[in-house]
Amino acid sequence: MRKPMVWGLLLAAALLTAGCARTDLDLDIGEAGRIELYSGTDGEMVVIADGEEMEQITGEINAMTFRREEPSADYSGWRYLLKWYDSRGQLMEKVVILSETRIEYEDYFYEGEEGDGRIDLARLDELLDAGQAAN
């Protein structure tokens, strides 16, 4: 009688600790054909097709490790939206940028690990401004 109860308690403890386990996110976005950058403040969009610009943006995101936080389902508002497309026009990845270290990805908020670098928000602003000036 005691063995099933002990096994039951061990199983329950394992399930509880599994739910509390830390979940890290390391994005590995491959080579894109283009990136679409959207502004969360005015809805403007610019297409980035320059290889160096795409490498810089993608490299910043790929270099960071993000720690999963709370679900994002009940929140709205964002600063930037980045969408990576392959050379055939298929969506590869989508990331919402909230700050230099905070993103929303697949219905969760993620915070960048300390010392992992930052997302260059000033550069994203420059790209949007340049795109608006070209239109």
Side-chain angles (χ1 to χ4, degrees):
M1 216 35 159
R2 275 188 172 266
K3 281 188 180 180
M5 188 162 77
V6 169
W7 284 111
L9 289 172
L10 287 173
L11 178 61
L15 291 173
L16 283 172
T17 57
C20 298
R22 185 172 155 172
T23 306
D24 288 344
L25 172 67
D26 289 304
L27 290 168
D28 185 19
I29 303 166
E31 188 174 328
R34 76 176 193 273
I35 298 173
E36 291 180 358
L37 168 62
Y38 296 83
S39 169
T41 55
D42 60 13
E44 291 292 325
M45 187 270 285
V46 63
V47 174
I48 303 164
D50 177 82
E52 284 184 37
E53 290 292 349
M54 291 191 301
E55 284 179 27
Q56 180 180 348
I57 293 167
T58 304
E60 287 175 0
I61 302 291
N62 283 346
M64 296 178 75
T65 297
F66 297 93
R67 181 183 63 254
R68 187 167 81 178
E69 295 184 338
E70 70 272 7
S72 62
D74 295 333
Y75 296 89
S76 63
W78 43 276
R79 194 156 182 186
Y80 305 100
L81 169 62
L82 291 168
K83 291 183 178 183
W84 286 263
Y85 292 88
D86 66 17
S87 60
R88 297 182 323 256
Q90 298 294 312
L91 180 64
M92 297 168 51
E93 204 64 80
K94 179 176 102 171
V95 175
V96 175
I97 309 295
L98 302 167
S99 74
E100 293 176 322
T101 59
R102 190 170 173 84
I103 66 170
E104 189 271 335
Y105 181 77
E106 295 185 352
D107 302 323
Y108 281 90
F109 290 120
Y110 289 84
E111 185 67 36
E113 293 289 329
E114 193 70 33
D116 257 2
R118 297 185 175 280
I119 300 165
D120 188 353
L121 301 181
R123 185 66 191 133
L124 298 179
D125 280 334
E126 289 173 9
L127 291 168
L128 282 165
D129 290 344
Q132 290 172 358
N135 290 335

